[in-house]
């Protein structure tokens, strides 16, 4: 089970959960989207959808703004070829119908905000051309238009967010990594959590997908100190390691297009609530192992952590709950992180710009309520105004 929580803004949080089931030669994910206010007093709004992660488009040909792909649908053993193009207010999907005449009465198109099911009935059987509960983003289902054009079924889907560019029709590793590059606008990503190993593994996956530079504060510190973090902790204590890592994070805070894996095991700077000044320069993801046995208890665990705010990790903008750890599924964890980051940024498209401003003003620790230039974090006043 992988649970993702993305802080949508100062007043709301969006949650995605993925349960990972091992099946022969494939992994299936079932995400749940949940929103709640940080006051924790509002009711939960939950929508459960299926995400067949093993149905990942394979790029066949790309010309201009149209992508030709092929996928194996979840309920059909045949291969469905489709063309996809992104427009200013809608996306167009063209599905191959194969040989033979087909009337509109034999076609079924069922569209909802996040899902699309396309079936054809002929020769006494039903064939599924597409079945996805994971469209790249929300559509207006009531404005869906479709028609038959020779040997293709053409479906026009109206985007809820006209400004958002769709790399593909479905949310997959390829479409998320491509789409997040545009949304992040160079903003770095910091991975925090109890396990240094997990942080580093997922950082490498994300860096490859985004085309970012992977960095490890553990490797940087061990290179300078010429000793392992474990021996450092034994000799000088974890506080000394946290101080040294804070200095590294200060240097990295001005870097763009990096995925930084921080030190876990409670030894690093991120474990302390007062060491987040420079972590806020990027989008922060908490990769948290959980002992919860089901999604409900995982939700309660996350809510408790956010409400208590005892751990420094609870300052994170995205939380990914891991029901156990298996490096084999690191790409699934990375994909879940990208999906949560996408929802976070789409909830407030000004976030990357605010991160940039926060860095330019010196990462003074005033995130997310950025104070005017001249603000003195040591006294909590606006020095520039006090001298006027």
């Amino acid at each position: 089970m992988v649970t993702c929580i993305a802080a949508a803004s100062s007043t709301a949080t969006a949650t995605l959960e993925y349960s990972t089931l091992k099946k022969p030669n494939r992994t299936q994910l079932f995400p749940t989207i949940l929103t709640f206010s940080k006051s924790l007093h509002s009711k939960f709004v939950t929508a459960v959808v299926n995400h067949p992660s093993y149905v990942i488009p394979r790029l066949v040909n790309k010309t201009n703004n149209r992508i030709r792909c092929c996928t194996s649908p979840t309920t059909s053993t045949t291969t469905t070829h489709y063309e996809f193009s992104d427009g200013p207010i809608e996306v167009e999907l063209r599905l191959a119908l194969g040989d033979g005449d087909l009337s509109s009465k034999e076609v079924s198109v069922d569209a909802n905000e996040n899902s699309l099911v396309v079936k054809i009935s002929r020769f006494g059987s039903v064939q599924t051309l597409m079945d996805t509960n994971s469209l790249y983003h929300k559509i207006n289902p009531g404005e869906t238009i479709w028609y038959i054009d020779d040997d293709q079924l053409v479906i026009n889907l109206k985007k809820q967010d006209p400004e958002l560019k769709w790399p593909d029709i479905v949310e997959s590793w390829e479409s998320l990594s491509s789409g997040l590059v545009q949304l992040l606008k160079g903003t770095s990503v910091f991975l925090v959590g109890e396990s240094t190993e997990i942080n580093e593994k997922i950082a490498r996956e994300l860096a490859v997908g985004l085309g970012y530079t992977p960095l490890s504060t553990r490797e940087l510190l061990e290179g300078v100190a010429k000793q392992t973090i474990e021996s450092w902790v034994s000799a000088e204590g974890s506080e000394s390691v946290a101080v040294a890592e804070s200095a590294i994070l200060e240097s990295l805070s001005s870097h763009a297009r990096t995925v930084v894996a921080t030190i876990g095991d409670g030894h690093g700077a991120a474990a302390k609530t007062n060491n987040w000044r420079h972590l806020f320069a990027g989008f922060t993801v908490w990769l948290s192992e959980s002992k919860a046995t089901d999604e409900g208890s995982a939700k309660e665990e996350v809510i408790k952590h956010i409400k208590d705010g005892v751990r420094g990790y609870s300052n994170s903008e995205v939380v990914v709950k891991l029901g156990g750890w298996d490096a084999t599924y690191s790409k699934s964890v990375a994909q879940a992180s990208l999906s949560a980051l996408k929802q976070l940024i789409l909830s407030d498209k000004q976030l990357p710009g605010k991160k940039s401003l926060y860095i330019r003003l010196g990462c003074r620790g005033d995130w997310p309520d950025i104070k005017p230039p001249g603000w003195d974090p040591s006294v909590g006043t606006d020095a520039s105004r006090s001298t006027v």
Side-chain angles (χ1 to χ4, degrees):
M1 177 186 63
V2 182
T3 302
C4 320
I5 295 183
S9 65
S10 59
T11 58
T13 301
T15 305
L16 291 93
E17 298 178 355
Y18 293 75
S19 295
T20 303
L21 307 177
K22 293 184 180 179
K23 293 189 176 183
N25 302 321
R26 70 188 188 192
T27 301
Q28 189 171 7
L29 304 178
F30 297 94
T32 299
I33 300 176
L34 172 68
T35 61
F36 59 90
S37 70
K38 283 205 169 181
S39 65
L40 304 175
H41 296 313
S42 66
K43 294 182 179 179
F44 292 102
V45 181
T46 309
V48 182
V49 296
N50 291 332
H51 178 80
S53 63
Y54 52 90
V55 184
I56 298 177
R58 176 170 58 86
L59 186 62
V60 177
N61 182 36
K62 183 175 181 181
T63 57
N64 298 328
N65 198 33
R66 175 164 290 178
I67 302 174
R68 184 181 293 274
C69 309
C70 113
T71 104
S72 298
T74 59
T75 58
S76 176
T77 57
T78 61
T79 299
T80 299
H81 295 270
Y82 70 83
E83 296 177 8
F84 168 80
S85 59
D86 178 41
I89 61 175
E90 63 182 16
V91 294
E92 182 181 272
L93 177 67
R94 288 177 171 262
L95 295 167
L97 295 176
D99 297 330
D101 294 332
L102 194 69
S103 70
S104 60
K105 293 181 180 180
E106 296 172 302
V107 177
S108 171
V109 177
D110 184 11
N112 289 295
E113 276 194 345
N114 296 290
S115 65
L116 177 66
V117 179
V118 182
K119 299 179 180 181
I120 58 174
S121 303
R122 58 179 171 181
F123 311 126
S125 64
V126 178
Q127 180 186 5
T128 300
L129 297 184
M130 176 164 287
D131 186 350
T132 178
N133 285 311
S134 187
L135 293 174
Y136 185 75
H137 197 53
K138 292 181 179 181
I139 63 170
N140 293 321
E143 299 182 55
T144 299
I145 300 174
W146 64 268
Y147 59 92
I148 298 175
D149 181 16
D150 292 332
D151 60 346
Q152 290 184 321
L153 175 64
V154 182
I155 306 173
N156 293 315
L157 303 170
K158 186 72 171 292
K159 298 190 288 187
Q160 284 196 15
D161 184 353
E163 297 180 357
L164 180 64
K165 294 181 179 179
W166 287 38
D168 197 0
I169 190 66
V170 296
E171 184 181 89
S172 64
W173 170 254
E174 287 79 3
S175 63
L176 281 170
S177 55
S178 174
L180 258 294
V181 170
Q182 302 173 41
L183 294 175
L184 287 169
K185 298 180 179 178
T187 308
S188 293
V189 178
F190 292 91
L191 302 183
V192 305
E194 297 84 352
S195 171
T196 305
E197 175 195 353
I198 294 176
N199 294 344
E200 292 179 344
K201 181 67 175 178
I202 304 306
R204 286 192 289 270
E205 292 281 3
L206 290 175
V208 170
L210 296 171
Y212 276 24
T213 301
L215 294 173
S216 165
T217 56
R218 175 192 63 81
E219 293 177 354
L220 293 172
L221 287 177
E222 289 181 347
V224 173
K226 306 301 181 184
Q227 63 176 330
T228 65
I229 297 299
E230 290 73 17
S231 62
W232 190 339
V233 171
S234 298
E236 302 181 40
S238 60
E239 187 61 35
S240 174
V241 174
V243 171
E245 188 182 30
S246 292
I248 293 290
L249 292 171
E250 180 177 2
S251 175
L252 296 179
S253 65
S254 60
H255 289 213
R257 297 177 177 82
T258 61
V259 182
V260 182
T262 62
I263 297 172
D265 305 308
H267 303 319
K272 312 295 181 182
T273 56
N274 59 343
N275 285 343
W276 276 68
R277 175 178 167 184
H278 296 97
L279 282 168
F280 287 131
F283 289 107
T284 52
V285 180
W286 176 11
L287 303 173
S288 175
E289 291 187 87
S290 173
K291 295 181 179 180
T293 57
D294 54 61
E295 294 180 358
S297 53
K299 294 175 189 177
E300 294 175 0
E301 185 178 75
V302 173
I303 294 169
K304 183 179 183 299
H305 289 160
I306 294 176
K307 186 176 181 180
D308 293 345
V310 176
R311 301 184 186 182
Y313 304 133
S314 62
N315 286 326
S316 300
E317 293 155 302
V318 171
V319 180
V320 180
K321 281 288 181 183
L322 310 177
W325 168 245
D326 185 344
T328 305
Y329 296 103
S330 60
K331 197 166 186 177
S332 295
V333 177
Q335 180 173 332
S337 301
L338 289 179
S339 184
L341 282 169
K342 185 187 78 171
Q343 297 226 4
L344 168 67
I345 297 174
L346 290 179
S347 70
D348 182 359
K349 295 180 182 178
Q350 303 304 316
L351 280 174
K354 290 178 66 177
K355 291 287 186 182
S356 178
L357 175 62
Y358 178 77
I359 295 170
R360 294 199 303 272
L361 291 176
C363 297
R364 301 170 299 179
D366 52 347
W367 182 266
D369 301 317
I370 302 176
K371 302 297 187 298
W375 178 74
D376 186 352
S378 63
V379 296
T381 60
D382 182 354
S384 63
R385 291 187 178 180
S386 61
T387 58
V388 175

